[in-house]
Amino acid sequence: MTDNMRGALLMMASTMMFTTNDAFLKSINGALPVFQTLTVRTAMVVLALGIWVSLTTGWQIKEISRRDFWLIVLRAIVEAGAAFFIVVAIFNMKLANMTAILQMLPLAVPLAARFMFNDPLSNELLIAIGIG
């Protein structure tokens, strides 16, 4: 299997997992408080990732620099905040509306990079964003 094919299959699997997760969260809509919901969700993700990592890498841990460690910690904090807001949105919005907003994220990231980091955008990318 080519790397492109494996990447496409993994992207489809991850999209399916996100959709399934959102549907389950919507079905329990408020049966658990937000932080308990996040705890259960996180435990399931850690379990699934632990199995995946043990099967694919055998828990080989690479050394990281001190700077990269703090960047990873910062990213983890931001991801936790994003997860909180996504769960709150799932509980308070129609699932179709929230999914549509999340589907716009890949279109918004290049625009944010353009305005925040002065990252150049090609005409083709601008056209693709406009179509999207």
Side-chain angles (χ1 to χ4, degrees), residues 58-75:
W59 293 103
Q60 295 174 356
I61 299 174
K62 296 180 180 178
E63 291 287 325
I64 58 172
S65 69
R66 187 173 183 85
R67 177 183 174 271
D68 288 345
F69 173 79
W70 288 111
L71 288 174
I72 292 169
V73 169
L74 177 63
R75 180 175 178 163

Side-chain angles (χ1 to χ4, degrees), residues 3 11 15 17 33 40 48 56 65-66 73 80 84 88 111-112 129:
D3 285 345
M11 285 298 295
T15 301
M17 295 289 203
V40 171
T56 58
S65 69
R66 187 173 183 85
V73 169
F84 172 79
V88 170
L111 290 176
I129 290 171

Side-chain angles (χ1 to χ4, degrees), residues 20-30 37-38 41 86-87 90-91:
T20 303
N21 177 52
D22 293 348
F24 279 132
L25 286 177
K26 189 65 175 177
S27 71
I28 65 166
N29 196 13
T37 302
L38 282 171
R41 179 177 179 251
I86 287 172
V87 169
I90 288 172
F91 285 170

